[in-house]
Amino acid sequence: MSWLSIVVLVAPLIACGRILFMKEESDADRDRIRQTAIGWSTVSLVASLAMFLLFDAGATERYQFLVEIEWVESIGLGLILGVDGISLAMVVLTSIVIWTGCQVSRSITDRVKEHYILLMALCVGVFGVFLSIDLFFFYFFYEMAVIPMYLLIGIWGSRAAKYSKEYATMKLTLFLTTGAVVALIGLLAVYFEAGRVGGVYSFDMREIAKVTFSDSFQITWFPVIFLGFAAIVPLWPLHSWSPIGHAAAPSSVSMLHAGVLMKLGAYAILRIAFDSLPAGAEHWMGWVGLLCCMNILYGGLVAMAQRDMKFIIGFSSSSHMGYVLLGLATMNMLGLSGAVFLMFAHGIMTALAFGLIGWFYEQTHTRVVDDLGGMLKVLPFAGTCFIIMAMASAGLPGFANFASELLVILGAWKSEFVLAGTGMTLPGWVPTMAAIWGIVISATYLLRAIRDAWLGPLNPRWSELKDVTSRKHKTPFVALILVLAVTGCFPSLLVNKIKDGVGKLRVMQSAPVQEEARR
Amino acid sequence: MTVGHMVTLAGVLFTLGIMGVISRRNILVVLLSVELMLNAAALTFVAFSNWHGNLDGQVMVFFAIAVAAAEVAVGLAVVIALFRLRVTVDADQVSMLKQ
Amino acid sequence: MTLFAWITLLAPLMAAIYLTIKPDVRRSASAPNIAIASVAVCAFTSLLFLVSGTELKSLWTWMSFPWDGGTLDIEIGVQVDNLSKLMLIVVGFVGTPIFFFAKGYMKGDPSIGRFFAKFALFVFSMLGIVFATNFLMIFIFWELVGASSYLLIGYYYEKPSACEAAKKAFLTNRVADFGFLLGILLIWSIAGSFDFDVIAQAVQDGNLAGESWKLSLAGVLIFVGAMGKSAQVPFHVWLPDAMEGPTPVSALMHAATMVAAGVYMVIRAFYCFGAEFGVASDFIVMTGAVTAVLAATIAVVQTDIKKVLAYSTLSQLGYMVMALGAGYYAVAMFHLTTHAFFKGLLFLCAGSVIHGCHHEQDMFKMGGLRKKMPTTFWCFTIGMLALTGIPFLSGFFSKDLIVDALHKRHFGGLQLVATATAGLTALYMARSWYLTFFGAYRGHAEPHESPKIMTRPLQFLAVFSAALGAIFYFGGGQEYLSAWQGPGTSPLHIDPTIAITSTVVVLIGYLIAWSFYGKGQTDKGASLAHRFSPVHDLLVNKYYIDDFYLWLVGSIQQGFARFCRLVEENFIVGILVGWPTRFTLWSGDKLRGLQSGRLNFYAYCFVGGVTLLVVFFILAGAQ
């Protein structure tokens, strides 16, 4: 069944090529283009769900659905696709978000063809990152995802408060590529060192994972790779591109951006930095445990002072990604599984949020909560979805965000954060308290946003708004809520696969050994 | 005729080409000068090929000629497009890129 | 039986989901019936469990992880034992009449289906707490209770005050949950499990002997969680505001379920810990006492009939918490049970009055309703007498046992406080009774008695309010809960001295109320308020606690948030990102001069560069 991973990757590529040769002259043409994109993204979705169902969580081999295509043998370079528990969750997340994203971008009527070509190219990039087990292609697909993003925001975006969309997209691209270039230096260092130590020059992550690097090499190069990718997560204080990027992007792109693109960074840290440099991770992640508290608290507080709905969700994303970083910093089973699960949950949740905000923004042309008010009366469906989204985001049990944040908190509580270089240790309860307080803060700004925008007396300006009525339009929102609820009520479905992937990470493998060494 | 003569001739041709590229403003003349430089290089190849007694250098000349032909085709196309657009082939008149 | 337990838990959830996803059902007249049926299941199974003496525990693994060499299982389960059976009876038998009442009360509301969906969801969350087998499960449903109360309090979402009250309730509870979750984590790290039975076993085996201060700290933190839901000072502010919800919501949440959840959870938790807490228990008793007195004094000056009952609820919760602090958990549970019935009754009576007076809540615009609404009047009277602890009605037994418990634990001063609060209770209840039902009608629209669907539940609850105390006391209720007796305690008996003293105090309270409001007049009370206006102002403004919080949230927290935003916009964007950006732009601008756009110049530079390189390499090669 390993062809499934090719199907997932190639379906959007085919869509790209197909749309390239379609004409866009009438509304019917535009609809055909849309249908093509939705159709091929459905193929990806079905294939990834099939992968999800067929994935064997107890298998001995680490990667499943392997496909290997040799390319440049002499330097150990080839296209290797496959998934483990972690990337499986990410692939499923991506396919769901893209499937819904294609549907909510019905509102785009200007240059539909180009829009969908770029969107599909972006998909290929993102799927490629999650599926590649080869460092070179990992990086290749990563860059492939960034460029369409630049164009999508620059062309179809909207003004974000005082920043123009050009500013936003420029900033986003510069941050992402700079981060990637920094990480690339680290990746090349790992490649050459692996060749030097292990004797085989190969970009294959499985080969690299067999090599044991010296501690000093790991401690020197871990921060380079980590920081490169942490700018994408985004780690405080490298986050400033993200809320503006969210706010300026059109809704489908916001969905992909917040839902999937931000997860690339955390995924890369887990997959590359943790897997190849476990000792470096052990050495440095204590600091991340401290910095992510800033993410959680600071992001939440800034969100509290925002009035633009997309900025509120944007900063809340950077707050929530703080939990992901905290989960990574715990370096234990609960925290890491929680972090991956939270990446999934947060992806779905923000996709829902931006889809909904896009829905009313098209009609109101404002996202400032003070201008809104009482919209639940005229938009009962969208409002209910929004309240569900906010509740999920504020950590209501029954939704995946609660289960995953709970895991992160449990993991953090049992963990210790060694602040390398200072000789100090941060006890687990300090970040845990920040994390729990972060939940209080998130409830505050979300409830406030709900009250200001949706509840209260109806602002007469909006009495003409149209609710989501047709089944076609409701589908993406209902689907996202269902995914959140199902994985929230039955987290084992997903967590069993995630924990299999996490358990096979090198940091988890080596942990007992290092424990013994310490004793 | 020794190698020295031929290389000297090539050097002279090459210098002429450079002077043409630097000092002339007409793009057509500039292109001609570039061709001159290419041919100077080709001449050097032939000269050394002869001197070494093998054909490697002459093979390179064929490459160079092929590339030069392509280059001239593209270059002239650009010049024609430019002329249609701006009604000039003066290189100083087309400095919009600096903006 | 296990299946029955699961069905009981899930039936309200199913009803809620069904009502939410089926718009045509939601709008039809049968919407309330579906919700009522789902709660009636609970009443039925609770009786079934009680009669059959079922004890069971059924677990479902929610998540499981390899951990510390073994596995860590996070479980959801149902547990039926004497404590949860009693609580099930409370939820079922107070809840069902309230649902019936709500059907009448909400009749004609355009979104009645939405209301009942939320109502059923709330009952589901509450049942989850009742059935919980471990701390994480209780926390999960704890949060669900908070969220569903948010939805219910904010039911009239177009009213800004309702939205505000809903938000306040949710956030206050969230802040308290901060402590609760920390407490749970602390327990987990010392006992290695979340399960009540496992923790209790570990405590009994003395495995945690060395961790006693951590255990105490965990106890206090968990109690902080309970302070949120059970609205103890300083987390009490949300409860009176929560009266913005429809009256059946107030009756269900603030009598039988949500506020009781805190007390119930503390009993569950503290039973595990087994040991006495020392300082911690003093803290708990004091919290209860302060809440009881504070709320009772505020209740005296309220004008809104529901607010009086709300503060009365706070005050009674203070009693329960005092009993908890004294270590008499069974007594606290006893008061919880009786209180659920008579407070549910009183809220429903208030609802009936409000309904009859066309949604007027101000007691000063009522009066003389005794003749107009006889059934409501009699039910209210029974509820009031039971609440104030008139001998042999239910409140008498439970309240006196609490006073006795304080006496047994030598909290002499607090015993006085508790007795005096009983007098205050009589005072404010009688005041609202006189104002509402006696004298002349002071309102505008003509009041009318409520329909049968609303009065039948009143009569049902009235019977229980009157008799339940005696049934529980003489029927061996304390022995039934003997497993949850606090350490070193035994079932209490009515102490004649205490009973007589408190009865006298209560009668004095009635007398004072009668002398001021006896004929339904309002002038005497007003003149007294005028004479002691500073005190009156203090009470009307709820000791300025709400204003303090407003200031704290509005100025301090919001100020801090604005500060962070300033940092974001000026430091992070302005300096960290801005300076490199500006440097790049500046250097680009300076270097731009080189790009003249002149082809010859470029070619010149190119040739010059190559020449220089050639010269350099020749020179380098020559050396």
Side-chain angles (χ1 to χ4, degrees), chain A residues 239 298 305 394 396-397 413 448 451 456 489 492 499, chain C residues 62 64 140 147 150 157-158 164 174 185 558 565 568:
Chain A
H239 64 274
Y298 174 90
L396 180 73
W413 178 264
R448 203 180 278 170
R451 181 201 58 187
C489 294
S492 298
K499 79 182 180 199
Chain C
W62 197 49
S64 155
I140 288 170
Y150 169 79
Y157 62 83
E158 283 169 65
E164 204 53 48
R174 260 292 158 87
L185 291 171
Q558 194 61 25
R565 188 179 165 173
E568 171 75 18

PDB file of all heavy atoms in Angstrom, chain A residues 239 298 305 394 396-397 413 448 451 456 489 492 499, chain C residues 62 64 140 147 150 157-158 164 174 185 558 565 568:
ATOM      1  N   HIS A 239       8.387  35.869  16.673  1.00  0.00           N
ATOM      2  CA  HIS A 239       7.034  35.556  16.237  1.00  0.00           C
ATOM      3  C   HIS A 239       6.376  36.662  15.436  1.00  0.00           C
ATOM      4  O   HIS A 239       5.273  36.482  14.958  1.00  0.00           O
ATOM      5  CB  HIS A 239       6.188  35.310  17.477  1.00  0.00           C
ATOM      6  CG  HIS A 239       6.071  36.536  18.310  1.00  0.00           C
ATOM      7  ND1 HIS A 239       7.003  36.872  19.264  1.00  0.00           N
ATOM      8  CD2 HIS A 239       5.175  37.536  18.292  1.00  0.00           C
ATOM      9  CE1 HIS A 239       6.670  38.019  19.803  1.00  0.00           C
ATOM     10  NE2 HIS A 239       5.580  38.457  19.241  1.00  0.00           N
ATOM     11  N   TYR A 298       2.780  35.974  27.187  1.00  0.00           N
ATOM     12  CA  TYR A 298       2.885  37.210  26.428  1.00  0.00           C
ATOM     13  C   TYR A 298       1.941  37.196  25.232  1.00  0.00           C
ATOM     14  O   TYR A 298       1.196  38.148  24.999  1.00  0.00           O
ATOM     15  CB  TYR A 298       4.341  37.360  25.995  1.00  0.00           C
ATOM     16  CG  TYR A 298       4.633  38.501  25.085  1.00  0.00           C
ATOM     17  CD1 TYR A 298       4.981  39.738  25.601  1.00  0.00           C
ATOM     18  CD2 TYR A 298       4.578  38.342  23.711  1.00  0.00           C
ATOM     19  CE1 TYR A 298       5.264  40.779  24.756  1.00  0.00           C
ATOM     20  CE2 TYR A 298       4.853  39.383  22.864  1.00  0.00           C
ATOM     21  CZ  TYR A 298       5.196  40.591  23.390  1.00  0.00           C
ATOM     22  OH  TYR A 298       5.470  41.626  22.553  1.00  0.00           O
ATOM     23  N   ALA A 305      -5.196  42.522  24.304  1.00  0.00           N
ATOM     24  CA  ALA A 305      -5.250  43.952  24.010  1.00  0.00           C
ATOM     25  C   ALA A 305      -5.571  44.231  22.543  1.00  0.00           C
ATOM     26  O   ALA A 305      -5.555  45.379  22.131  1.00  0.00           O
ATOM     27  CB  ALA A 305      -3.920  44.608  24.379  1.00  0.00           C
ATOM     28  N   ALA A 394     -10.262  27.558  24.085  1.00  0.00           N
ATOM     29  CA  ALA A 394     -10.072  27.878  25.498  1.00  0.00           C
ATOM     30  C   ALA A 394      -9.924  26.603  26.329  1.00  0.00           C
ATOM     31  O   ALA A 394      -9.885  26.673  27.543  1.00  0.00           O
ATOM     32  CB  ALA A 394     -11.239  28.709  26.007  1.00  0.00           C
ATOM     33  N   LEU A 396     -11.881  23.505  26.238  1.00  0.00           N
ATOM     34  CA  LEU A 396     -13.068  22.830  26.764  1.00  0.00           C
ATOM     35  C   LEU A 396     -12.936  21.326  26.515  1.00  0.00           C
ATOM     36  O   LEU A 396     -12.664  20.906  25.401  1.00  0.00           O
ATOM     37  CB  LEU A 396     -14.318  23.366  26.069  1.00  0.00           C
ATOM     38  CG  LEU A 396     -15.617  22.741  26.547  1.00  0.00           C
ATOM     39  CD1 LEU A 396     -15.964  23.254  27.921  1.00  0.00           C
ATOM     40  CD2 LEU A 396     -16.750  23.037  25.588  1.00  0.00           C
ATOM     41  N   PRO A 397     -13.132  20.529  27.549  1.00  0.00           N
ATOM     42  CA  PRO A 397     -13.075  19.075  27.358  1.00  0.00           C
ATOM     43  C   PRO A 397     -14.068  18.641  26.299  1.00  0.00           C
ATOM     44  O   PRO A 397     -15.119  19.244  26.131  1.00  0.00           O
ATOM     45  CB  PRO A 397     -13.476  18.520  28.713  1.00  0.00           C
ATOM     46  CG  PRO A 397     -13.216  19.600  29.671  1.00  0.00           C
ATOM     47  CD  PRO A 397     -13.397  20.882  28.937  1.00  0.00           C
ATOM     48  N   TRP A 413       4.738  19.021  34.038  1.00  0.00           N
ATOM     49  CA  TRP A 413       4.752  18.928  35.504  1.00  0.00           C
ATOM     50  C   TRP A 413       5.811  17.937  35.968  1.00  0.00           C
ATOM     51  O   TRP A 413       6.490  18.134  36.969  1.00  0.00           O
ATOM     52  CB  TRP A 413       3.366  18.507  35.983  1.00  0.00           C
ATOM     53  CG  TRP A 413       3.246  18.316  37.450  1.00  0.00           C
ATOM     54  CD1 TRP A 413       3.347  17.140  38.129  1.00  0.00           C
ATOM     55  CD2 TRP A 413       3.016  19.329  38.430  1.00  0.00           C
ATOM     56  NE1 TRP A 413       3.171  17.358  39.458  1.00  0.00           N
ATOM     57  CE2 TRP A 413       2.980  18.678  39.676  1.00  0.00           C
ATOM     58  CE3 TRP A 413       2.825  20.707  38.369  1.00  0.00           C
ATOM     59  CZ2 TRP A 413       2.761  19.384  40.863  1.00  0.00           C
ATOM     60  CZ3 TRP A 413       2.615  21.397  39.548  1.00  0.00           C
ATOM     61  CH2 TRP A 413       2.585  20.742  40.777  1.00  0.00           C
ATOM     62  N   ARG A 448     -14.216  37.427  25.623  1.00  0.00           N
ATOM     63  CA  ARG A 448     -14.423  38.849  25.352  1.00  0.00           C
ATOM     64  C   ARG A 448     -14.715  39.068  23.871  1.00  0.00           C
ATOM     65  O   ARG A 448     -15.605  39.840  23.502  1.00  0.00           O
ATOM     66  CB  ARG A 448     -13.191  39.624  25.781  1.00  0.00           C
ATOM     67  CG  ARG A 448     -13.512  41.066  26.051  1.00  0.00           C
ATOM     68  CD  ARG A 448     -12.290  41.812  26.459  1.00  0.00           C
ATOM     69  NE  ARG A 448     -11.976  41.636  27.867  1.00  0.00           N
ATOM     70  CZ  ARG A 448     -10.819  42.044  28.404  1.00  0.00           C
ATOM     71  NH1 ARG A 448      -9.910  42.593  27.641  1.00  0.00           N
ATOM     72  NH2 ARG A 448     -10.591  41.904  29.674  1.00  0.00           N
ATOM     73  N   ARG A 451     -18.216  37.998  23.237  1.00  0.00           N
ATOM     74  CA  ARG A 451     -19.201  38.955  23.730  1.00  0.00           C
ATOM     75  C   ARG A 451     -19.268  40.167  22.807  1.00  0.00           C
ATOM     76  O   ARG A 451     -20.342  40.605  22.420  1.00  0.00           O
ATOM     77  CB  ARG A 451     -18.825  39.404  25.148  1.00  0.00           C
ATOM     78  CG  ARG A 451     -19.817  40.377  25.723  1.00  0.00           C
ATOM     79  CD  ARG A 451     -19.214  41.168  26.847  1.00  0.00           C
ATOM     80  NE  ARG A 451     -18.032  41.889  26.400  1.00  0.00           N
ATOM     81  CZ  ARG A 451     -17.239  42.557  27.223  1.00  0.00           C
ATOM     82  NH1 ARG A 451     -17.472  42.569  28.501  1.00  0.00           N
ATOM     83  NH2 ARG A 451     -16.191  43.216  26.762  1.00  0.00           N
ATOM     84  N   GLY A 456     -24.778  40.320  22.749  1.00  0.00           N
ATOM     85  CA  GLY A 456     -25.199  41.689  22.984  1.00  0.00           C
ATOM     86  C   GLY A 456     -26.197  42.134  21.930  1.00  0.00           C
ATOM     87  O   GLY A 456     -26.597  41.371  21.059  1.00  0.00           O
ATOM     88  N   CYS A 489     -13.003  13.509  21.978  1.00  0.00           N
ATOM     89  CA  CYS A 489     -13.696  12.532  22.823  1.00  0.00           C
ATOM     90  C   CYS A 489     -12.991  11.180  22.803  1.00  0.00           C
ATOM     91  O   CYS A 489     -13.000  10.458  23.786  1.00  0.00           O
ATOM     92  CB  CYS A 489     -15.141  12.369  22.372  1.00  0.00           C
ATOM     93  SG  CYS A 489     -16.134  13.819  22.615  1.00  0.00           S
ATOM     94  N   SER A 492      -7.611   8.440  21.820  1.00  0.00           N
ATOM     95  CA  SER A 492      -6.767   7.267  21.568  1.00  0.00           C
ATOM     96  C   SER A 492      -6.619   6.977  20.090  1.00  0.00           C
ATOM     97  O   SER A 492      -5.577   6.499  19.647  1.00  0.00           O
ATOM     98  CB  SER A 492      -7.356   6.041  22.253  1.00  0.00           C
ATOM     99  OG  SER A 492      -7.390   6.255  23.621  1.00  0.00           O
ATOM    100  N   LYS A 499       1.895   8.277  19.658  1.00  0.00           N
ATOM    101  CA  LYS A 499       2.850   7.820  20.679  1.00  0.00           C
ATOM    102  C   LYS A 499       3.769   6.751  20.133  1.00  0.00           C
ATOM    103  O   LYS A 499       4.900   6.609  20.591  1.00  0.00           O
ATOM    104  CB  LYS A 499       2.121   7.374  21.931  1.00  0.00           C
ATOM    105  CG  LYS A 499       1.499   6.017  21.881  1.00  0.00           C
ATOM    106  CD  LYS A 499       0.763   5.732  23.177  1.00  0.00           C
ATOM    107  CE  LYS A 499       0.138   4.358  23.092  1.00  0.00           C
ATOM    108  NZ  LYS A 499      -0.919   4.159  24.058  1.00  0.00           N
TER     109      LYS A 499
ATOM    110  N   TRP C  62      -9.245   6.160  28.377  1.00  0.00           N
ATOM    111  CA  TRP C  62      -9.384   7.289  27.463  1.00  0.00           C
ATOM    112  C   TRP C  62      -8.098   7.462  26.674  1.00  0.00           C
ATOM    113  O   TRP C  62      -8.094   7.597  25.465  1.00  0.00           O
ATOM    114  CB  TRP C  62      -9.709   8.533  28.289  1.00  0.00           C
ATOM    115  CG  TRP C  62     -10.257   9.676  27.525  1.00  0.00           C
ATOM    116  CD1 TRP C  62     -11.281   9.634  26.635  1.00  0.00           C
ATOM    117  CD2 TRP C  62      -9.852  11.033  27.603  1.00  0.00           C
ATOM    118  NE1 TRP C  62     -11.525  10.891  26.156  1.00  0.00           N
ATOM    119  CE2 TRP C  62     -10.670  11.766  26.729  1.00  0.00           C
ATOM    120  CE3 TRP C  62      -8.876  11.719  28.342  1.00  0.00           C
ATOM    121  CZ2 TRP C  62     -10.540  13.139  26.565  1.00  0.00           C
ATOM    122  CZ3 TRP C  62      -8.758  13.074  28.189  1.00  0.00           C
ATOM    123  CH2 TRP C  62      -9.586  13.776  27.300  1.00  0.00           C
ATOM    124  N   SER C  64      -3.727   6.151  27.030  1.00  0.00           N
ATOM    125  CA  SER C  64      -2.790   5.348  27.795  1.00  0.00           C
ATOM    126  C   SER C  64      -1.385   5.561  27.259  1.00  0.00           C
ATOM    127  O   SER C  64      -1.187   5.653  26.051  1.00  0.00           O
ATOM    128  CB  SER C  64      -3.229   3.891  27.680  1.00  0.00           C
ATOM    129  OG  SER C  64      -2.138   3.052  27.881  1.00  0.00           O
ATOM    130  N   ILE C 140     -12.404  17.111  34.009  1.00  0.00           N
ATOM    131  CA  ILE C 140     -12.982  17.230  32.662  1.00  0.00           C
ATOM    132  C   ILE C 140     -14.428  17.709  32.764  1.00  0.00           C
ATOM    133  O   ILE C 140     -14.841  18.681  32.118  1.00  0.00           O
ATOM    134  CB  ILE C 140     -12.911  15.876  31.943  1.00  0.00           C
ATOM    135  CG1 ILE C 140     -11.475  15.569  31.564  1.00  0.00           C
ATOM    136  CG2 ILE C 140     -13.801  15.859  30.716  1.00  0.00           C
ATOM    137  CD1 ILE C 140     -11.269  14.169  31.064  1.00  0.00           C
ATOM    138  N   ALA C 147     -18.524  25.438  31.303  1.00  0.00           N
ATOM    139  CA  ALA C 147     -18.891  25.910  29.967  1.00  0.00           C
ATOM    140  C   ALA C 147     -20.402  25.887  29.773  1.00  0.00           C
ATOM    141  O   ALA C 147     -20.981  26.825  29.217  1.00  0.00           O
ATOM    142  CB  ALA C 147     -18.221  25.042  28.914  1.00  0.00           C
ATOM    143  N   TYR C 150     -21.924  28.679  31.414  1.00  0.00           N
ATOM    144  CA  TYR C 150     -21.715  29.890  30.610  1.00  0.00           C
ATOM    145  C   TYR C 150     -22.823  30.030  29.570  1.00  0.00           C
ATOM    146  O   TYR C 150     -23.412  31.104  29.394  1.00  0.00           O
ATOM    147  CB  TYR C 150     -20.353  29.803  29.938  1.00  0.00           C
ATOM    148  CG  TYR C 150     -20.097  30.836  28.874  1.00  0.00           C
ATOM    149  CD1 TYR C 150     -19.733  32.129  29.219  1.00  0.00           C
ATOM    150  CD2 TYR C 150     -20.215  30.514  27.526  1.00  0.00           C
ATOM    151  CE1 TYR C 150     -19.504  33.073  28.244  1.00  0.00           C
ATOM    152  CE2 TYR C 150     -19.985  31.462  26.554  1.00  0.00           C
ATOM    153  CZ  TYR C 150     -19.624  32.733  26.908  1.00  0.00           C
ATOM    154  OH  TYR C 150     -19.401  33.673  25.944  1.00  0.00           O
ATOM    155  N   TYR C 157     -28.818  36.187  25.156  1.00  0.00           N
ATOM    156  CA  TYR C 157     -27.525  36.757  24.771  1.00  0.00           C
ATOM    157  C   TYR C 157     -27.617  38.175  24.249  1.00  0.00           C
ATOM    158  O   TYR C 157     -26.616  38.831  24.060  1.00  0.00           O
ATOM    159  CB  TYR C 157     -26.832  35.860  23.747  1.00  0.00           C
ATOM    160  CG  TYR C 157     -27.571  35.694  22.444  1.00  0.00           C
ATOM    161  CD1 TYR C 157     -27.455  36.645  21.448  1.00  0.00           C
ATOM    162  CD2 TYR C 157     -28.365  34.575  22.214  1.00  0.00           C
ATOM    163  CE1 TYR C 157     -28.137  36.499  20.259  1.00  0.00           C
ATOM    164  CE2 TYR C 157     -29.041  34.429  21.028  1.00  0.00           C
ATOM    165  CZ  TYR C 157     -28.932  35.390  20.050  1.00  0.00           C
ATOM    166  OH  TYR C 157     -29.596  35.246  18.875  1.00  0.00           O
ATOM    167  N   GLU C 158     -28.859  38.627  23.994  1.00  0.00           N
ATOM    168  CA  GLU C 158     -28.936  40.008  23.504  1.00  0.00           C
ATOM    169  C   GLU C 158     -28.883  41.018  24.642  1.00  0.00           C
ATOM    170  O   GLU C 158     -28.763  42.213  24.411  1.00  0.00           O
ATOM    171  CB  GLU C 158     -30.208  40.196  22.684  1.00  0.00           C
ATOM    172  CG  GLU C 158     -30.054  39.589  21.303  1.00  0.00           C
ATOM    173  CD  GLU C 158     -31.366  39.524  20.571  1.00  0.00           C
ATOM    174  OE1 GLU C 158     -31.920  40.582  20.278  1.00  0.00           O
ATOM    175  OE2 GLU C 158     -31.842  38.401  20.323  1.00  0.00           O
ATOM    176  N   GLU C 164     -22.355  39.528  30.198  1.00  0.00           N
ATOM    177  CA  GLU C 164     -21.332  39.900  31.169  1.00  0.00           C
ATOM    178  C   GLU C 164     -21.319  38.895  32.322  1.00  0.00           C
ATOM    179  O   GLU C 164     -20.259  38.432  32.765  1.00  0.00           O
ATOM    180  CB  GLU C 164     -21.638  41.315  31.676  1.00  0.00           C
ATOM    181  CG  GLU C 164     -20.476  42.073  32.211  1.00  0.00           C
ATOM    182  CD  GLU C 164     -19.313  42.116  31.239  1.00  0.00           C
ATOM    183  OE1 GLU C 164     -19.495  42.412  30.036  1.00  0.00           O
ATOM    184  OE2 GLU C 164     -18.203  41.838  31.698  1.00  0.00           O
ATOM    185  N   ARG C 174     -12.710  29.630  36.073  1.00  0.00           N
ATOM    186  CA  ARG C 174     -11.417  29.289  35.482  1.00  0.00           C
ATOM    187  C   ARG C 174     -10.262  29.623  36.416  1.00  0.00           C
ATOM    188  O   ARG C 174      -9.317  28.858  36.558  1.00  0.00           O
ATOM    189  CB  ARG C 174     -11.233  30.042  34.168  1.00  0.00           C
ATOM    190  CG  ARG C 174     -11.514  29.229  32.939  1.00  0.00           C
ATOM    191  CD  ARG C 174     -10.480  28.171  32.769  1.00  0.00           C
ATOM    192  NE  ARG C 174     -10.956  27.070  31.948  1.00  0.00           N
ATOM    193  CZ  ARG C 174     -10.878  27.034  30.627  1.00  0.00           C
ATOM    194  NH1 ARG C 174     -10.355  28.033  29.985  1.00  0.00           N
ATOM    195  NH2 ARG C 174     -11.317  26.002  29.973  1.00  0.00           N
ATOM    196  N   LEU C 185      -2.399  17.874  39.963  1.00  0.00           N
ATOM    197  CA  LEU C 185      -1.048  17.503  39.541  1.00  0.00           C
ATOM    198  C   LEU C 185      -0.188  17.132  40.746  1.00  0.00           C
ATOM    199  O   LEU C 185       0.604  16.190  40.703  1.00  0.00           O
ATOM    200  CB  LEU C 185      -0.407  18.664  38.775  1.00  0.00           C
ATOM    201  CG  LEU C 185      -1.014  18.961  37.408  1.00  0.00           C
ATOM    202  CD1 LEU C 185      -0.450  20.252  36.848  1.00  0.00           C
ATOM    203  CD2 LEU C 185      -0.739  17.825  36.457  1.00  0.00           C
ATOM    204  N   GLN C 558      -5.802  44.575  32.305  1.00  0.00           N
ATOM    205  CA  GLN C 558      -5.904  45.142  30.971  1.00  0.00           C
ATOM    206  C   GLN C 558      -4.724  46.066  30.707  1.00  0.00           C
ATOM    207  O   GLN C 558      -4.202  46.131  29.599  1.00  0.00           O
ATOM    208  CB  GLN C 558      -7.240  45.879  30.824  1.00  0.00           C
ATOM    209  CG  GLN C 558      -7.602  46.229  29.395  1.00  0.00           C
ATOM    210  CD  GLN C 558      -7.750  45.000  28.500  1.00  0.00           C
ATOM    211  OE1 GLN C 558      -8.042  43.920  28.992  1.00  0.00           O
ATOM    212  NE2 GLN C 558      -7.514  45.165  27.215  1.00  0.00           N
ATOM    213  N   ARG C 565       1.202  44.790  24.535  1.00  0.00           N
ATOM    214  CA  ARG C 565       0.972  45.159  23.146  1.00  0.00           C
ATOM    215  C   ARG C 565       1.944  46.265  22.724  1.00  0.00           C
ATOM    216  O   ARG C 565       2.460  46.268  21.613  1.00  0.00           O
ATOM    217  CB  ARG C 565      -0.463  45.637  22.972  1.00  0.00           C
ATOM    218  CG  ARG C 565      -0.793  45.853  21.528  1.00  0.00           C
ATOM    219  CD  ARG C 565      -2.203  46.298  21.337  1.00  0.00           C
ATOM    220  NE  ARG C 565      -2.347  46.818  19.983  1.00  0.00           N
ATOM    221  CZ  ARG C 565      -3.494  47.163  19.446  1.00  0.00           C
ATOM    222  NH1 ARG C 565      -4.600  47.049  20.144  1.00  0.00           N
ATOM    223  NH2 ARG C 565      -3.548  47.635  18.226  1.00  0.00           N
ATOM    224  N   GLU C 568       5.173  44.718  22.101  1.00  0.00           N
ATOM    225  CA  GLU C 568       5.112  44.032  20.811  1.00  0.00           C
ATOM    226  C   GLU C 568       5.322  45.021  19.675  1.00  0.00           C
ATOM    227  O   GLU C 568       6.134  44.797  18.785  1.00  0.00           O
ATOM    228  CB  GLU C 568       3.738  43.353  20.689  1.00  0.00           C
ATOM    229  CG  GLU C 568       3.441  42.772  19.316  1.00  0.00           C
ATOM    230  CD  GLU C 568       4.183  41.491  19.053  1.00  0.00           C
ATOM    231  OE1 GLU C 568       4.649  40.881  20.031  1.00  0.00           O
ATOM    232  OE2 GLU C 568       4.313  41.108  17.878  1.00  0.00           O
TER     233      GLU C 568
END
